[in-house]
Amino acid sequence: MNIKKIIINNVVELLRQASCELPNDVVKALRDGLKNEKKGSIAEAQLAAIIDNFEQAEKFCLPMCQDTGIHIYYVEFGEDVNWLRGTELKKALCEASKKATIDVPMRPNAVNPFTNMNSNDNNGRNIPFINWEIVKGDKIKITAFPKGGGSENMSSLGMLKPGEGLIGVKKFVVDTVITAGGQPCPPIIIGIGIGGGADIALKLAKKQLQRTIGERHPEKVIANLEIELVKAINMIGIGPQGLGGITTCIDVFVEYAYRHPASLPVGISIQCWAGRHASAVFDSNGNVKFLRK
Amino acid sequence: MSVVYLKTPFIEKQIRNLKLGDSLYISGTIFLMRDEAHERALKLFKEKIKLPFDIKNLAVFHCGPIVQKKNNNWKVLSAGPTTSMRMELFEDEMIKNYQIRVVIGKGGMGEKTINAMKKYGAVFASFTGGAGVLLPAKCIKKVKEVHWLDLGTPEAFWVFEVENFGPLTISIDAQGNSLYKKVNKEVDKGRVKAYKYLGINK
Protein backbone atom coordinates (compact mmCIF):
# COMPACT_ATOMS: atom_id res chain seq x y z
CA MET A 1 0.00 0.00 0.00
CA ASN A 2 1.40 3.35 -1.05
CA ILE A 3 -0.21 5.83 1.31
CA LYS A 4 1.16 8.84 -0.54
CA LYS A 5 -0.40 7.68 -3.79
CA ILE A 6 -3.75 7.12 -2.06
CA ILE A 7 -3.62 10.66 -0.73
CA ILE A 8 -2.67 12.20 -4.08
CA ASN A 9 -5.44 10.40 -5.98
CA ASN A 10 -8.10 11.18 -3.42
CA VAL A 11 -7.11 14.82 -3.05
CA VAL A 12 -7.44 15.10 -6.84
CA GLU A 13 -10.96 13.73 -6.30
CA LEU A 14 -11.57 16.37 -3.60
CA LEU A 15 -10.47 19.09 -6.02
CA ARG A 16 -12.75 17.64 -8.70
CA GLN A 17 -15.71 17.56 -6.29
CA ALA A 18 -15.00 21.10 -5.16
CA SER A 19 -14.79 22.37 -8.76
CA CYS A 20 -17.68 20.46 -10.30
CA GLU A 21 -20.22 19.72 -7.54
CA LEU A 22 -21.72 22.41 -5.38
CA PRO A 23 -22.30 21.23 -1.76
CA ASN A 24 -25.98 20.42 -1.04
CA ASP A 25 -26.38 23.12 1.60
CA VAL A 26 -25.33 25.81 -0.90
CA VAL A 27 -27.57 24.27 -3.58
CA LYS A 28 -30.55 24.43 -1.23
CA ALA A 29 -29.83 28.03 -0.23
CA LEU A 30 -29.64 29.14 -3.87
CA ARG A 31 -32.89 27.33 -4.72
CA ASP A 32 -34.57 29.01 -1.74
CA GLY A 33 -33.21 32.34 -2.98
CA LEU A 34 -34.84 31.78 -6.37
CA LYS A 35 -38.23 31.29 -4.69
CA ASN A 36 -37.86 34.59 -2.81
CA GLU A 37 -37.16 36.76 -5.84
CA LYS A 38 -39.89 38.57 -7.74
CA LYS A 39 -41.32 36.65 -10.70
CA GLY A 40 -39.97 37.92 -14.01
CA SER A 41 -37.20 39.98 -12.36
CA ILE A 42 -33.55 40.12 -13.42
CA ALA A 43 -32.68 38.64 -10.01
CA GLU A 44 -34.84 35.60 -10.74
CA ALA A 45 -33.22 35.17 -14.19
CA GLN A 46 -29.71 35.42 -12.70
CA LEU A 47 -30.44 32.79 -10.04
CA ALA A 48 -32.09 30.53 -12.62
CA ALA A 49 -28.92 30.74 -14.76
CA ILE A 50 -26.74 29.96 -11.73
CA ILE A 51 -28.87 26.90 -10.92
CA ASP A 52 -28.98 25.72 -14.55
CA ASN A 53 -25.19 26.12 -14.64
CA PHE A 54 -24.36 24.09 -11.52
CA GLU A 55 -26.80 21.36 -12.53
CA GLN A 56 -25.09 21.01 -15.91
CA ALA A 57 -21.62 21.21 -14.33
CA GLU A 58 -22.41 18.26 -12.07
CA LYS A 59 -24.10 16.27 -14.85
CA PHE A 60 -21.19 16.65 -17.29
CA CYS A 61 -18.49 16.69 -14.62
CA LEU A 62 -17.19 20.13 -15.65
CA PRO A 63 -15.89 22.96 -13.45
CA MET A 64 -18.96 25.11 -12.68
CA CYS A 65 -16.90 28.28 -13.01
CA GLN A 66 -13.86 28.83 -15.22
CA ASP A 67 -12.05 30.31 -12.22
CA THR A 68 -11.17 27.19 -10.27
CA GLY A 69 -9.38 29.24 -7.66
CA ILE A 70 -5.98 29.43 -6.09
CA HIS A 71 -5.14 26.20 -4.30
CA ILE A 72 -5.59 26.27 -0.54
CA TYR A 73 -5.79 23.31 1.82
CA TYR A 74 -6.86 22.97 5.43
CA VAL A 75 -5.22 20.02 7.17
CA GLU A 76 -6.23 18.65 10.56
CA PHE A 77 -3.29 16.45 11.50
CA GLY A 78 -3.90 13.92 14.30
CA GLU A 79 -1.27 14.20 17.02
CA ASP A 80 -0.93 10.39 17.06
CA VAL A 81 -0.35 10.03 13.30
CA ASN A 82 2.78 7.92 12.94
CA TRP A 83 2.09 6.71 9.42
CA LEU A 84 2.89 9.85 7.42
CA ARG A 85 5.28 12.75 7.90
CA GLY A 86 3.89 16.27 7.56
CA THR A 87 6.54 17.11 4.96
CA GLU A 88 5.48 14.06 2.92
CA LEU A 89 1.85 15.18 3.10
CA LYS A 90 2.88 18.62 1.89
CA LYS A 91 4.59 17.07 -1.12
CA ALA A 92 1.51 14.94 -1.81
CA LEU A 93 -0.79 17.98 -1.74
CA CYS A 94 1.46 19.88 -4.18
CA GLU A 95 1.47 16.82 -6.42
CA ALA A 96 -2.34 16.53 -6.20
CA SER A 97 -2.74 20.16 -7.31
CA LYS A 98 -0.50 19.49 -10.31
CA LYS A 99 -2.39 16.31 -11.23
CA ALA A 100 -5.83 17.93 -10.81
CA THR A 101 -4.78 20.77 -13.12
CA ILE A 102 -4.60 18.20 -15.91
CA ASP A 103 -7.15 15.61 -14.78
CA VAL A 104 -10.16 17.72 -13.71
CA PRO A 105 -9.01 19.97 -15.47
CA MET A 106 -8.52 23.08 -13.32
CA ARG A 107 -7.38 26.42 -14.69
CA PRO A 108 -3.70 27.09 -14.03
CA ASN A 109 -4.02 29.92 -11.53
CA ALA A 110 -0.60 30.38 -9.95
CA VAL A 111 1.21 33.45 -11.31
CA ASN A 112 4.56 34.88 -10.25
CA PRO A 113 3.71 38.42 -9.10
CA PHE A 114 7.07 39.78 -10.29
CA THR A 115 7.36 38.21 -13.75
CA ASN A 116 3.60 37.57 -14.32
CA MET A 117 4.56 34.11 -15.58
CA ASN A 118 1.97 31.40 -14.96
CA SER A 119 3.51 28.18 -13.59
CA ASN A 120 0.76 26.29 -15.48
CA ASP A 121 0.47 23.64 -12.75
CA ASN A 122 -1.07 25.50 -9.79
CA ASN A 123 2.22 25.24 -7.91
CA GLY A 124 4.54 28.07 -7.01
CA ARG A 125 6.25 29.74 -4.07
CA ASN A 126 3.90 29.22 -1.08
CA ILE A 127 1.16 27.82 -3.35
CA PRO A 128 -0.68 25.58 -2.71
CA PHE A 129 -1.00 27.19 0.70
CA ILE A 130 -1.56 24.76 3.53
CA ASN A 131 -3.24 25.68 6.83
CA TRP A 132 -2.09 23.20 9.48
CA GLU A 133 -3.86 22.34 12.70
CA ILE A 134 -2.86 19.68 15.21
CA VAL A 135 -5.89 17.78 16.52
CA LYS A 136 -6.53 14.71 18.68
CA GLY A 137 -6.45 11.24 17.15
CA ASP A 138 -4.48 9.31 14.54
CA LYS A 139 -6.24 10.45 11.37
CA ILE A 140 -5.74 13.25 8.87
CA LYS A 141 -8.60 15.40 7.61
CA ILE A 142 -7.92 17.28 4.39
CA THR A 143 -10.13 20.03 3.01
CA ALA A 144 -9.54 21.26 -0.52
CA PHE A 145 -10.54 24.89 -0.67
CA PRO A 146 -9.78 26.35 -4.10
CA LYS A 147 -10.59 30.05 -3.70
CA GLY A 148 -11.82 32.19 -6.59
CA GLY A 149 -10.17 35.53 -7.32
CA GLY A 150 -13.19 37.75 -7.95
CA SER A 151 -14.60 37.26 -4.48
CA GLU A 152 -11.17 37.24 -2.84
CA ASN A 153 -10.51 40.72 -4.30
CA MET A 154 -13.39 42.01 -2.16
CA SER A 155 -11.83 40.85 1.15
CA SER A 156 -11.39 43.56 3.70
CA LEU A 157 -9.54 44.24 6.93
CA GLY A 158 -10.64 46.91 9.36
CA MET A 159 -8.43 47.85 12.28
CA LEU A 160 -11.20 49.50 14.26
CA LYS A 161 -10.80 51.47 17.46
CA PRO A 162 -12.10 49.44 20.39
CA GLY A 163 -14.39 52.38 21.22
CA GLU A 164 -16.26 51.82 17.95
CA GLY A 165 -17.49 48.56 19.45
CA LEU A 166 -19.92 46.07 17.95
CA ILE A 167 -21.81 48.82 16.14
CA GLY A 168 -18.57 49.74 14.38
CA VAL A 169 -18.08 46.10 13.39
CA LYS A 170 -21.60 45.89 11.94
CA LYS A 171 -21.11 49.12 9.97
CA PHE A 172 -17.80 47.86 8.59
CA VAL A 173 -19.52 44.67 7.38
CA VAL A 174 -22.40 46.50 5.68
CA ASP A 175 -20.04 49.01 4.05
CA THR A 176 -17.72 46.25 2.79
CA VAL A 177 -20.65 44.38 1.23
CA ILE A 178 -21.91 47.56 -0.46
CA THR A 179 -18.46 48.46 -1.80
CA ALA A 180 -18.14 44.92 -3.18
CA GLY A 181 -21.55 45.20 -4.90
CA GLY A 182 -21.87 42.77 -7.79
CA GLN A 183 -18.14 42.14 -8.08
CA PRO A 184 -17.80 39.03 -5.85
CA CYS A 185 -20.62 37.23 -7.75
CA PRO A 186 -23.49 37.37 -5.25
CA PRO A 187 -25.33 35.63 -3.67
CA ILE A 188 -22.27 35.52 -1.43
CA ILE A 189 -21.23 33.76 1.75
CA ILE A 190 -19.52 36.07 4.23
CA GLY A 191 -16.89 34.99 6.75
CA ILE A 192 -16.07 37.42 9.55
CA GLY A 193 -13.18 37.14 12.00
CA ILE A 194 -13.08 39.50 14.94
CA GLY A 195 -10.12 40.09 17.26
CA GLY A 196 -6.74 38.39 17.52
CA GLY A 197 -4.78 40.64 15.19
CA ALA A 198 -4.77 41.62 11.52
CA ASP A 199 -3.69 38.24 10.13
CA ILE A 200 -5.66 36.25 12.71
CA ALA A 201 -8.93 38.08 11.97
CA LEU A 202 -8.59 37.37 8.23
CA LYS A 203 -7.56 33.75 8.79
CA LEU A 204 -10.58 33.15 11.04
CA ALA A 205 -12.80 34.90 8.49
CA LYS A 206 -11.73 32.71 5.58
CA LYS A 207 -11.98 29.52 7.62
CA GLN A 208 -15.67 30.22 8.34
CA LEU A 209 -16.49 29.88 4.63
CA GLN A 210 -16.41 26.09 5.05
CA ARG A 211 -19.25 26.05 7.55
CA THR A 212 -22.63 24.57 6.59
CA ILE A 213 -25.27 27.08 5.48
CA GLY A 214 -27.61 27.66 8.41
CA GLU A 215 -25.16 26.28 10.99
CA ARG A 216 -25.04 28.80 13.81
CA HIS A 217 -22.14 29.63 16.09
CA PRO A 218 -22.37 27.70 19.39
CA GLU A 219 -22.36 30.94 21.42
CA LYS A 220 -25.79 32.54 21.45
CA VAL A 221 -24.55 36.14 21.14
CA ILE A 222 -22.48 35.32 18.06
CA ALA A 223 -25.28 33.21 16.57
CA ASN A 224 -27.68 36.14 16.95
CA LEU A 225 -25.16 38.50 15.34
CA GLU A 226 -24.93 36.14 12.35
CA ILE A 227 -28.73 36.07 11.95
CA GLU A 228 -28.96 39.85 12.34
CA LEU A 229 -26.29 40.45 9.70
CA VAL A 230 -27.94 38.12 7.16
CA LYS A 231 -31.21 40.02 7.56
CA ALA A 232 -29.54 43.43 7.29
CA ILE A 233 -27.44 42.50 4.23
CA ASN A 234 -30.46 41.14 2.40
CA MET A 235 -32.21 44.51 2.93
CA ILE A 236 -29.54 46.31 0.89
CA GLY A 237 -30.82 45.33 -2.56
CA ILE A 238 -27.57 44.43 -4.35
CA GLY A 239 -29.10 41.11 -5.36
CA PRO A 240 -27.79 38.20 -7.45
CA GLN A 241 -24.86 39.40 -9.61
CA GLY A 242 -25.38 42.96 -8.33
CA LEU A 243 -28.28 43.56 -10.69
CA GLY A 244 -30.77 44.23 -7.88
CA GLY A 245 -32.90 41.86 -5.82
CA ILE A 246 -33.26 40.31 -2.40
CA THR A 247 -30.66 37.55 -2.23
CA THR A 248 -27.35 39.36 -1.71
CA CYS A 249 -25.98 36.79 0.75
CA ILE A 250 -26.91 33.24 1.61
CA ASP A 251 -25.22 33.25 5.01
CA VAL A 252 -22.88 35.07 7.38
CA PHE A 253 -20.49 33.20 9.68
CA VAL A 254 -18.67 34.89 12.55
CA GLU A 255 -15.77 33.67 14.67
CA TYR A 256 -13.64 35.54 17.14
CA ALA A 257 -10.43 35.53 19.13
CA TYR A 258 -9.66 37.61 22.18
CA ARG A 259 -8.31 41.00 21.18
CA HIS A 260 -5.43 43.19 22.30
CA PRO A 261 -6.74 45.99 24.58
CA ALA A 262 -5.78 48.56 21.94
CA SER A 263 -7.18 46.75 18.88
CA LEU A 264 -10.45 45.67 17.35
CA PRO A 265 -9.48 43.95 14.11
CA VAL A 266 -12.28 42.81 11.77
CA GLY A 267 -11.43 40.53 8.86
CA ILE A 268 -13.98 39.91 6.14
CA SER A 269 -13.63 37.10 3.63
CA ILE A 270 -16.14 36.72 0.83
CA GLN A 271 -17.11 33.58 -1.06
CA CYS A 272 -18.92 33.79 -4.39
CA TRP A 273 -22.03 31.65 -4.91
CA ALA A 274 -19.75 28.80 -6.07
CA GLY A 275 -19.05 27.73 -2.47
CA ARG A 276 -16.27 25.36 -3.43
CA HIS A 277 -14.77 23.03 -0.84
CA ALA A 278 -14.60 19.30 -0.19
CA SER A 279 -13.17 17.25 2.70
CA ALA A 280 -12.08 13.70 3.40
CA VAL A 281 -10.57 11.82 6.36
CA PHE A 282 -7.60 9.49 5.80
CA ASP A 283 -6.44 6.75 8.19
CA SER A 284 -3.36 4.56 8.58
CA ASN A 285 -4.94 1.63 6.69
CA GLY A 286 -5.45 3.74 3.58
CA ASN A 287 -9.18 4.10 4.17
CA VAL A 288 -10.70 7.30 2.87
CA LYS A 289 -13.97 8.74 4.08
CA PHE A 290 -15.42 11.55 1.98
CA LEU A 291 -17.39 14.05 4.03
CA ARG A 292 -20.03 15.12 1.53
CA LYS A 293 -22.35 17.87 2.62
CA MET B 1 -36.85 45.38 -23.37
CA SER B 2 -36.43 43.37 -26.53
CA VAL B 3 -34.47 40.37 -27.72
CA VAL B 4 -31.86 41.26 -30.33
CA TYR B 5 -29.78 38.93 -32.53
CA LEU B 6 -26.65 40.47 -34.05
CA LYS B 7 -23.95 39.16 -36.35
CA THR B 8 -20.33 40.31 -36.29
CA PRO B 9 -18.76 42.57 -37.42
CA PHE B 10 -21.11 45.05 -35.72
CA ILE B 11 -22.27 48.29 -37.28
CA GLU B 12 -22.17 51.33 -34.96
CA LYS B 13 -25.83 52.16 -35.61
CA GLN B 14 -27.02 48.68 -34.47
CA ILE B 15 -25.10 49.12 -31.25
CA ARG B 16 -26.46 52.61 -30.61
CA ASN B 17 -30.00 51.20 -30.97
CA LEU B 18 -29.56 48.74 -28.07
CA LYS B 19 -31.42 49.69 -24.89
CA LEU B 20 -30.82 48.98 -21.22
CA GLY B 21 -32.31 45.60 -20.30
CA ASP B 22 -32.33 44.25 -23.88
CA SER B 23 -31.30 40.61 -24.31
CA LEU B 24 -28.54 40.25 -26.87
CA TYR B 25 -27.39 37.14 -28.74
CA ILE B 26 -24.22 37.34 -30.83
CA SER B 27 -23.24 35.15 -33.78
CA GLY B 28 -19.88 35.33 -35.51
CA THR B 29 -16.53 36.12 -33.93
CA ILE B 30 -15.69 37.31 -30.43
CA PHE B 31 -12.31 37.59 -28.74
CA LEU B 32 -11.16 37.12 -25.15
CA MET B 33 -8.84 39.49 -23.36
CA ARG B 34 -8.25 40.13 -19.67
CA ASP B 35 -5.89 42.42 -17.74
CA GLU B 36 -2.57 41.48 -19.30
CA ALA B 37 -3.82 41.14 -22.88
CA HIS B 38 -5.51 44.55 -22.64
CA GLU B 39 -2.25 46.06 -21.51
CA ARG B 40 -0.34 44.41 -24.33
CA ALA B 41 -2.89 45.40 -27.00
CA LEU B 42 -2.62 49.05 -25.94
CA LYS B 43 1.16 48.89 -25.90
CA LEU B 44 1.20 47.49 -29.45
CA PHE B 45 -1.18 50.23 -30.59
CA LYS B 46 1.21 52.85 -29.27
CA GLU B 47 4.06 51.17 -31.09
CA LYS B 48 1.93 51.03 -34.27
CA ILE B 49 2.23 47.24 -34.43
CA LYS B 50 -0.80 45.37 -35.81
CA LEU B 51 -2.49 42.81 -33.56
CA PRO B 52 -2.21 39.19 -34.72
CA PHE B 53 -5.98 39.22 -35.28
CA ASP B 54 -8.10 42.20 -36.33
CA ILE B 55 -10.55 43.00 -33.51
CA LYS B 56 -12.20 46.03 -35.08
CA ASN B 57 -16.00 46.20 -34.63
CA LEU B 58 -16.08 42.98 -32.61
CA ALA B 59 -16.97 42.06 -29.02
CA VAL B 60 -14.42 41.55 -26.26
CA PHE B 61 -15.27 38.91 -23.67
CA HIS B 62 -13.64 39.39 -20.26
CA CYS B 63 -12.90 35.76 -19.57
CA GLY B 64 -10.06 33.43 -18.72
CA PRO B 65 -11.35 30.07 -19.94
CA ILE B 66 -10.55 26.51 -18.94
CA VAL B 67 -9.31 24.87 -22.10
CA GLN B 68 -7.96 21.47 -23.02
CA LYS B 69 -5.74 20.65 -25.98
CA LYS B 70 -6.59 17.35 -27.63
CA ASN B 71 -5.18 16.16 -30.97
CA ASN B 72 -3.87 19.67 -31.58
CA ASN B 73 -7.34 21.18 -31.18
CA TRP B 74 -8.40 23.43 -28.32
CA LYS B 75 -11.60 22.55 -26.54
CA VAL B 76 -13.32 25.08 -24.25
CA LEU B 77 -14.68 23.44 -21.10
CA SER B 78 -15.65 26.31 -18.84
CA ALA B 79 -15.85 29.98 -19.82
CA GLY B 80 -17.85 32.59 -17.94
CA PRO B 81 -17.17 36.29 -17.39
CA THR B 82 -14.59 37.63 -14.97
CA THR B 83 -14.96 40.90 -13.00
CA SER B 84 -14.94 43.61 -15.67
CA MET B 85 -14.08 46.46 -13.33
CA ARG B 86 -10.41 45.40 -13.42
CA MET B 87 -10.34 46.33 -17.10
CA GLU B 88 -11.57 49.85 -16.26
CA LEU B 89 -7.88 50.80 -16.44
CA PHE B 90 -7.77 50.01 -20.17
CA GLU B 91 -11.21 49.71 -21.75
CA ASP B 92 -11.78 53.33 -22.78
CA GLU B 93 -8.54 53.29 -24.79
CA MET B 94 -9.45 49.89 -26.27
CA ILE B 95 -12.84 51.22 -27.44
CA LYS B 96 -11.21 54.33 -28.87
CA ASN B 97 -8.27 52.63 -30.57
CA TYR B 98 -9.84 49.39 -31.76
CA GLN B 99 -13.55 50.33 -32.18
CA ILE B 100 -14.69 47.62 -29.76
CA ARG B 101 -18.49 47.61 -29.95
CA VAL B 102 -19.57 45.19 -27.23
CA VAL B 103 -17.84 44.53 -23.92
CA ILE B 104 -19.02 41.26 -22.38
CA GLY B 105 -18.39 40.72 -18.69
CA LYS B 106 -19.87 40.97 -15.24
CA GLY B 107 -20.33 43.53 -12.48
CA GLY B 108 -20.39 46.63 -14.72
CA MET B 109 -17.76 49.25 -15.45
CA GLY B 110 -16.92 52.78 -14.37
CA GLU B 111 -17.30 56.32 -15.68
CA LYS B 112 -14.25 56.24 -17.96
CA THR B 113 -15.63 53.28 -19.91
CA ILE B 114 -19.20 54.59 -19.89
CA ASN B 115 -18.02 57.88 -21.42
CA ALA B 116 -16.00 56.09 -24.10
CA MET B 117 -19.03 53.91 -24.93
CA LYS B 118 -21.16 57.00 -25.35
CA LYS B 119 -18.58 58.78 -27.46
CA TYR B 120 -17.56 55.97 -29.79
CA GLY B 121 -20.68 53.76 -29.79
CA ALA B 122 -20.29 50.67 -27.62
CA VAL B 123 -22.27 48.78 -24.95
CA PHE B 124 -21.60 46.62 -21.91
CA ALA B 125 -23.39 43.27 -21.99
CA SER B 126 -23.39 41.20 -18.83
CA PHE B 127 -23.58 37.47 -18.39
CA THR B 128 -24.10 35.60 -15.12
CA GLY B 129 -20.78 35.48 -13.26
CA GLY B 130 -19.47 32.05 -12.44
CA ALA B 131 -21.78 30.38 -14.94
CA GLY B 132 -18.88 28.79 -16.78
CA VAL B 133 -20.59 25.78 -18.29
CA LEU B 134 -23.56 27.33 -20.11
CA LEU B 135 -21.77 29.24 -22.88
CA PRO B 136 -19.29 26.52 -23.99
CA ALA B 137 -22.06 23.92 -24.09
CA LYS B 138 -24.52 25.96 -26.12
CA CYS B 139 -22.84 28.84 -27.93
CA ILE B 140 -19.09 28.43 -28.44
CA LYS B 141 -18.63 26.62 -31.75
CA LYS B 142 -14.85 26.54 -31.93
CA VAL B 143 -11.56 28.19 -31.07
CA LYS B 144 -10.57 30.04 -34.24
CA GLU B 145 -7.20 31.28 -33.05
CA VAL B 146 -5.15 31.80 -29.93
CA HIS B 147 -2.26 34.23 -29.45
CA TRP B 148 -0.03 35.33 -26.60
CA LEU B 149 -0.01 31.98 -24.82
CA ASP B 150 3.14 33.21 -23.08
CA LEU B 151 0.70 35.02 -20.74
CA GLY B 152 -0.75 31.64 -19.70
CA THR B 153 -4.10 30.23 -20.90
CA PRO B 154 -6.28 32.44 -18.63
CA GLU B 155 -4.68 35.65 -19.93
CA ALA B 156 -4.11 34.68 -23.57
CA PHE B 157 -5.80 36.37 -26.57
CA TRP B 158 -8.43 33.85 -27.68
CA VAL B 159 -10.65 34.15 -30.75
CA PHE B 160 -13.89 32.14 -30.67
CA GLU B 161 -16.50 31.40 -33.28
CA VAL B 162 -19.90 31.68 -31.58
CA GLU B 163 -23.53 31.13 -32.41
CA ASN B 164 -26.35 32.85 -30.52
CA PHE B 165 -23.90 33.67 -27.74
CA GLY B 166 -26.13 34.77 -24.85
CA PRO B 167 -28.49 35.77 -23.42
CA LEU B 168 -26.42 38.85 -22.61
CA THR B 169 -28.14 41.66 -20.73
CA ILE B 170 -27.40 45.17 -21.99
CA SER B 171 -26.46 46.81 -18.70
CA ILE B 172 -24.63 49.89 -20.03
CA ASP B 173 -25.96 51.36 -23.28
CA ALA B 174 -24.37 53.76 -25.76
CA GLN B 175 -26.40 56.65 -24.35
CA GLY B 176 -24.51 56.45 -21.06
CA ASN B 177 -27.28 54.70 -19.10
CA SER B 178 -26.21 52.04 -16.63
CA LEU B 179 -28.29 49.38 -14.95
CA TYR B 180 -25.65 49.28 -12.21
CA LYS B 181 -26.13 53.00 -11.49
CA LYS B 182 -29.87 52.38 -11.17
CA VAL B 183 -29.19 49.55 -8.71
CA ASN B 184 -26.77 51.82 -6.81
CA LYS B 185 -29.58 54.30 -6.19
CA GLU B 186 -31.66 51.49 -4.67
CA VAL B 187 -28.64 50.34 -2.67
CA ASP B 188 -28.27 53.86 -1.18
CA LYS B 189 -31.78 53.44 0.21
CA GLY B 190 -30.95 49.86 1.24
CA ARG B 191 -27.94 51.05 3.20
CA VAL B 192 -30.17 53.38 5.24
CA LYS B 193 -32.55 50.48 5.96
CA ALA B 194 -29.72 48.13 6.98
CA TYR B 195 -28.11 50.80 9.20
CA LYS B 196 -31.44 51.45 10.89
CA TYR B 197 -32.08 47.75 11.48
CA LEU B 198 -28.63 47.33 13.02
CA GLY B 199 -28.86 50.48 15.14
CA ILE B 200 -26.08 52.36 13.30
CA ASN B 201 -26.49 56.15 13.56
CA LYS B 202 -24.83 57.56 10.47
Side-chain angles (χ1 to χ4, degrees):
Chain A
M1 184 185 64
N2 183 337
I3 201 84
K4 212 174 139 188
K5 216 170 172 179
I6 290 172
I7 289 188
I8 292 170
N9 289 335
N10 286 286
V11 172
V12 170
E13 173 56 19
L14 286 177
L15 287 164
R16 192 198 62 76
Q17 281 177 16
S19 305
C20 307
E21 299 168 17
L22 205 54
N24 284 323
D25 57 326
V26 182
V27 166
K28 188 181 175 300
L30 291 169
R31 288 190 198 283
D32 289 345
L34 179 69
K35 283 181 220 153
N36 290 336
E37 298 294 346
K38 215 166 98 190
K39 296 280 158 285
S41 63
I42 293 180
E44 188 195 34
Q46 293 298 327
L47 273 170
I50 288 170
I51 291 167
D52 184 14
N53 184 73
F54 69 62
E55 284 176 351
Q56 290 204 39
E58 184 162 347
K59 189 170 156 197
F60 298 110
C61 209
L62 289 166
M64 62 189 96
C65 175
Q66 76 288 342
D67 178 4
T68 46
I70 196 148
H71 287 215
I72 296 171
Y73 295 100
Y74 288 85
V75 174
E76 290 177 20
F77 204 87
E79 60 189 352
D80 299 323
V81 170
N82 58 5
W83 44 274
L84 186 70
R85 288 175 195 274
T87 49
E88 287 299 306
L89 178 55
K90 187 179 173 185
K91 276 186 209 156
L93 293 175
C94 292
E95 211 44 57
S97 287
K98 280 185 191 175
K99 196 166 183 307
T101 305
I102 298 163
D103 290 2
V104 174
M106 297 178 85
R107 196 173 72 181
N109 268 355
V111 176
N112 181 316
F114 295 96
T115 64
N116 287 336
M117 291 306 284
N118 193 316
S119 67
N120 289 321
D121 62 5
N122 280 308
N123 272 230
R125 190 172 173 86
N126 286 313
I127 293 293
F129 191 88
I130 305 167
N131 297 278
W132 298 92
E133 198 180 335
I134 305 294
V135 297
K136 283 205 175 301
D138 60 356
K139 292 178 183 152
I140 300 173
K141 180 181 166 188
I142 299 171
T143 300
F145 187 81
K147 181 68 170 66
S151 56
E152 185 69 7
N153 287 347
M154 299 298 120
S155 314
S156 193
L157 173 72
M159 299 304 286
L160 307 189
K161 296 177 184 74
E164 293 178 75
L166 192 54
I167 288 286
V169 173
K170 290 176 185 176
K171 183 173 183 294
F172 183 64
V173 174
V174 170
D175 291 350
T176 297
V177 171
I178 290 176
T179 304
Q183 295 184 73
C185 272
I188 52 175
I189 303 166
I190 303 163
I192 302 170
I194 301 170
D199 59 328
I200 300 164
L202 278 168
K203 248 191 184 335
L204 287 175
K206 189 176 257 176
K207 200 178 172 198
Q208 302 318 303
L209 300 176
Q210 300 164 35
R211 278 167 57 186
T212 303
I213 305 300
E215 174 202 328
R216 297 279 63 95
H217 193 278
E219 291 180 33
K220 191 85 185 155
V221 176
I222 313 300
N224 287 342
L225 175 64
E226 291 172 343
I227 295 167
E228 205 186 358
L229 284 170
V230 171
K231 276 196 190 150
I233 287 162
N234 285 338
M235 285 176 185
I236 296 171
I238 293 167
Q241 296 299 316
L243 291 167
I246 296 160
T247 324
T248 301
C249 78
I250 55 177
D251 215 341
V252 176
F253 301 116
V254 180
E255 184 53 286
Y256 72 94
Y258 275 41
R259 63 174 179 83
H260 184 284
S263 314
L264 178 55
V266 184
I268 300 180
S269 187
I270 297 180
Q271 170 70 57
C272 60
W273 64 259
R276 273 170 292 228
H277 55 272
S279 309
V281 176
F282 298 78
D283 72 17
S284 59
N285 300 317
N287 296 317
V288 186
K289 192 180 166 204
F290 286 93
L291 308 171
R292 305 296 299 274
K293 282 208 287 196
Chain B
M1 285 194 281
S2 40
V3 181
V4 184
Y5 294 83
L6 291 181
K7 285 202 170 79
T8 63
F10 303 112
I11 299 160
E12 185 180 341
K13 192 165 170 282
Q14 297 174 320
I15 299 300
R16 290 207 180 264
N17 284 338
L18 293 167
K19 301 267 175 316
L20 226 53
D22 281 354
S23 278
L24 173 67
Y25 291 86
I26 298 171
S27 294
T29 305
I30 65 165
F31 67 98
L32 279 64
M33 281 191 188
R34 309 195 347 157
D35 315 53
E36 290 183 46
H38 272 73
E39 208 174 343
R40 186 175 287 184
L42 291 179
K43 187 169 168 268
L44 292 178
F45 185 85
K46 246 186 211 164
E47 294 165 358
K48 298 196 169 62
I49 299 170
K50 256 173 83 174
L51 297 185
F53 180 84
D54 184 13
I55 58 175
K56 205 172 165 180
N57 291 310
L58 296 182
V60 61
F61 182 21
H62 294 156
C63 169
I66 301 182
V67 288
Q68 212 171 29
K69 201 171 189 178
K70 272 192 177 158
N71 309 324
N72 242 3
N73 285 319
W74 289 102
K75 198 176 173 226
V76 184
L77 300 178
S78 193
T82 191
T83 308
S84 295
M85 202 56 198
R86 294 199 315 274
M87 270 56 79
E88 180 69 8
L89 297 170
F90 317 109
E91 211 65 76
D92 58 333
E93 288 287 306
M94 288 292 288
I95 291 168
K96 182 181 159 197
N97 298 342
Y98 291 110
Q99 289 84 52
I100 308 296
R101 296 291 172 201
V102 180
V103 178
I104 306 166
K106 72 167 174 89
M109 299 197 70
E111 285 302 324
K112 258 174 39 175
T113 305
I114 293 176
N115 288 336
M117 287 178 162
K118 209 167 149 183
K119 189 165 175 191
Y120 300 104
V123 294
F124 183 78
S126 53
F127 190 73
T128 309
V133 178
L134 299 180
L135 294 169
K138 291 178 188 162
C139 329
I140 299 173
K141 291 297 144 195
K142 68 169 194 190
V143 174
K144 279 176 84 164
E145 297 183 18
V146 60
H147 304 279
W148 307 349
L149 276 169
D150 58 299
L151 301 175
T153 53
E155 297 284 339
F157 171 16
W158 295 90
V159 183
F160 289 175
E161 188 184 309
V162 297
E163 197 178 292
N164 293 332
F165 187 88
L168 309 169
T169 305
I170 302 300
S171 44
I172 299 172
D173 67 16
Q175 281 77 51
N177 301 307
S178 161
L179 200 57
Y180 296 95
K181 273 197 209 162
K182 276 191 176 173
V183 173
N184 283 346
K185 277 192 190 147
E186 289 303 308
V187 167
D188 283 342
K189 290 183 219 160
R191 186 200 301 261
V192 175
K193 269 193 241 171
Y195 276 10
K196 200 175 164 201
Y197 176 76
L198 294 169
I200 301 164
N201 309 313
K202 44 184 167 175

